[in-house]
Amino acid sequence: MTIDRDKALHIFAAALAVLSAGYYALYVDAGFNYSDDGNYAQTAFELFLGRPPQDLDLSYGLLWYEAGAALFHLFGVDFLLVRWLFFGTITLTTLLVFYSLARASGSILTALLLAAVIALVQQDLPKGFPQQVLDSILQGLMKSATQLQGMPAT
């Protein structure tokens, strides 16, 4: 029995989404970055209350904050809701990377491995974690992936 490539691509994408959501659920309430997450939550809350956007210091586009305000209208104001919005966005980005890499490289396995790295690496690395180590790991993975496909490595 063989599965066509498109069906396999969607199966792996669904598995990646489920694994990402499960992974994020393990630490969604494990602490908050009040300077970034809190700033976003406060701005979305101000919009939720009806404050005009021109009165706020928007460090991102207005639509990004309106998404948080809309969630507050739908489900009530909750800091965990902000975290789930962030993790949902990360999951969607991971899926976009997966589909893009699968299309560009022609390899579902390469796309899955690189997308998994994106899903698993937190934005805020643990204190003391050397950024050079993460950079080396990612560069090695990219080099391996490009060599597998016969493309010139940069």
Side-chain angles (χ1 to χ4, degrees):
M1 179 175 144
T2 60
I3 299 176
D4 69 6
R5 186 178 191 285
D6 286 341
K7 189 172 185 176
L9 192 66
H10 297 316
I11 290 170
F12 279 110
L16 187 62
V18 168
L19 291 173
S20 294
Y23 173 66
Y24 300 137
L26 293 174
Y27 69 92
V28 70
D29 63 349
F32 300 106
N33 177 351
Y34 289 105
S35 63
D36 192 29
D37 299 359
N39 180 45
Y40 175 85
Q42 181 63 40
T43 303
F45 181 66
E46 295 289 338
L47 290 170
F48 165 77
L49 293 176
R51 190 161 174 201
Q54 58 270 24
D55 291 350
L56 301 170
D57 180 26
L58 302 177
S59 53
Y60 301 105
L62 177 60
L63 188 58
W64 176 237
Y65 293 102
E66 288 290 356
L71 288 175
F72 288 165
H73 279 290
L74 289 172
F75 302 106
V77 178
D78 188 350
F79 202 60
L80 279 178
L81 191 59
V82 168
R83 292 294 295 254
W84 279 114
L85 174 63
F86 291 166
F87 289 150
T89 304
I90 294 168
T91 300
L92 290 175
T93 303
T94 300
L95 291 174
L96 179 63
V97 167
F98 171 72
Y99 279 114
S100 299
L101 287 172
R103 182 179 175 117
S105 71
S107 169
I108 292 175
L109 181 60
T110 300
L112 187 64
L113 290 174
L114 293 174
V117 169
I118 290 169
L120 296 175
V121 174
Q122 298 178 27
Q123 176 187 355
D124 299 320
L125 296 171
K127 199 170 211 151
F129 189 91
Q131 182 67 39
Q132 302 91 326
V133 172
L134 178 61
D135 290 343
S136 296
I137 292 169
L138 292 175
Q139 286 174 359
L141 284 170
M142 286 301 295
K143 186 175 181 180
S144 298
T146 54
Q147 288 174 347
L148 284 173
Q149 298 307 312
M151 300 183 310
T154 56

